[in-house]
Amino acid sequence: MTVGVVLNTTGPGNQIDATVRLAQEAAAAGLRSAWFGQVLGADSPQLAAIVGREVPGLQVGTSAIPVFGRHPLVVAGQALTAQAATHGRYHLGLALGTKLLTEGAFGIPFERPVARLREFLTALRQLTETGTADFRGELLTARTPLPARVPGAEDGVPLLVAAMGPRALRASGELADGILPYLAGPRALAEHIVPAVTAAAEAAGRPAPRIVAFVNAVVTDDVDAVREKATEQFAFYEQIPSYARVIGLSGGERAADVAVIGDEKTVAAEVRRYRDAGATDVVFSGTDIAGDADRRRTWALLGDLAD
């Protein structure tokens, strides 16, 4: 099982420089992968390409680019460039996105998200594997009157999806290489998510999918204070139906209920529960909410688990 961390920098300094420094620290701690979110700030594939080139020991990934407001031709170019820059260590994550961001930021109706995901993945697979596409769907068209290859990225790019609902899991199992569930605890993974995506992959004749579980986790002695901070910081996700659903399937009511907070023994035991539930990778997010000392302590544990 691969262990990794989401790198998220804040502060007045240069974000790219700060992220590279954090990635170097993560690699020195023994972590195997670094992941970068995509909202409206830094471009995640570019950030991953820079970090992967500066820190050769890390796998790098995007988690995750919404399929609304993007086009497969553009995303393929970004992903293939990152793959060439990192010599095969880049992983592309896609997401359905949310109504709030899609309509509020892009002014695009949030309609038929799973159908759009299917078409996006179909066109993107052609582009990342062959450098060409001839796809015309109901919602998207992707054609290559000129080649879209990137020398150095001939082996393609792993395609992962932040899928947790039944229809998105079915599409991901059929068309992607794995999933990136977030706020899904071991119970939701074992009873709902892993069986659904695995069955879809088997029915489509595809290999067993990767299950890259993103977990809010902190090693700390001040459990009550950190959980209170987590309750405040992660409350935003409770407004989003897909996250609210998976929190409930995990046995929680608040996003903080599925956060892993405690000493090394407690957190290591929870990582094992994720592995036993079917996770092939565990990526820690939110490790910075308790300050640098606890973040470093958390990363040290992850490095030990990786070994």
Side-chain angles (χ1 to χ4, degrees):
M1 183 179 70
T2 300
V3 296
V5 66
V6 174
L7 296 183
N8 182 29
T9 59
T10 58
N14 184 296
Q15 181 181 355
I16 309 307
D17 293 342
T19 303
V20 169
R21 287 193 295 270
L22 268 183
Q24 291 168 336
E25 185 180 336
L31 293 164
R32 300 289 191 260
S33 68
W35 294 79
F36 310 92
Q38 180 65 64
V39 190
L40 297 176
D43 182 77
S44 180
Q46 286 192 63
L47 191 55
I50 292 167
V51 168
R53 199 149 181 90
E54 292 283 333
V55 191
L58 284 177
Q59 297 180 19
V60 290
T62 292
S63 179
I65 295 176
V67 295
F68 285 91
R70 276 82 173 178
H71 191 278
L73 281 166
V74 176
V75 173
Q78 292 177 297
L80 290 169
T81 301
Q83 191 67 301
T86 60
H87 294 271
R89 287 177 286 114
Y90 176 68
H91 301 74
L92 173 62
L94 299 174
L96 298 178
T98 66
K99 183 181 179 69
L100 177 66
L101 185 60
T102 300
E103 298 188 353
F106 291 105
I108 300 172
F110 188 69
E111 297 173 351
R112 302 182 65 191
V114 177
R116 181 173 292 271
L117 173 67
R118 282 185 171 278
E119 294 193 5
F120 206 104
L121 282 168
T122 301
L124 190 61
R125 176 74 69 184
Q126 293 178 19
L127 289 160
T128 56
E129 291 186 350
T130 70
T132 62
D134 185 9
F135 177 80
R136 184 176 182 85
E138 292 183 69
L139 304 172
L140 293 171
T141 295
R143 291 176 175 155
T144 48
L146 297 173
R149 296 180 179 87
V150 176
E154 289 84 0
D155 292 335
V157 180
L159 303 181
L160 309 169
V161 180
M164 293 183 292
R167 293 174 61 228
L169 287 169
R170 186 162 57 249
S172 300
E174 294 171 2
L175 299 169
D177 299 307
I179 58 170
L180 306 163
Y182 175 56
L183 296 179
R187 190 166 90 185
L189 285 178
E191 296 179 5
H192 300 277
I193 292 173
V194 174
V197 71
T198 301
E202 289 177 354
R206 294 190 56 78
R210 284 178 61 187
I211 313 295
V212 185
F214 281 70
V215 184
N216 291 322
V218 181
V219 176
T220 183
D221 293 325
D222 198 356
V223 174
D224 290 341
V226 173
R227 191 166 295 281
E228 182 177 349
K229 190 176 291 186
T231 300
E232 179 181 346
Q233 182 164 322
F234 304 134
F236 165 78
Y237 295 100
E238 297 158 14
Q239 308 170 51
I240 301 171
S242 59
Y243 290 119
R245 173 182 176 274
V246 81
I247 290 167
L249 292 175
S250 302
E253 296 181 0
R254 307 293 306 272
D257 294 340
V258 293
V260 177
I261 302 170
D263 62 13
E264 284 82 356
K265 183 178 179 180
T266 299
V267 174
E270 286 299 301
V271 170
R272 287 191 288 272
R273 287 187 66 216
Y274 276 89
R275 179 198 61 198
D276 294 343
T280 59
D281 307 65
V282 171
V283 177
F284 274 19
S285 178
T287 60
D288 56 344
I289 63 172
D292 281 345
D294 282 343
R295 173 183 61 76
R296 292 191 179 98
R297 188 175 167 188
T298 305
W299 287 13
L301 172 64
L302 284 178
D304 290 342
L305 293 175
D307 291 337

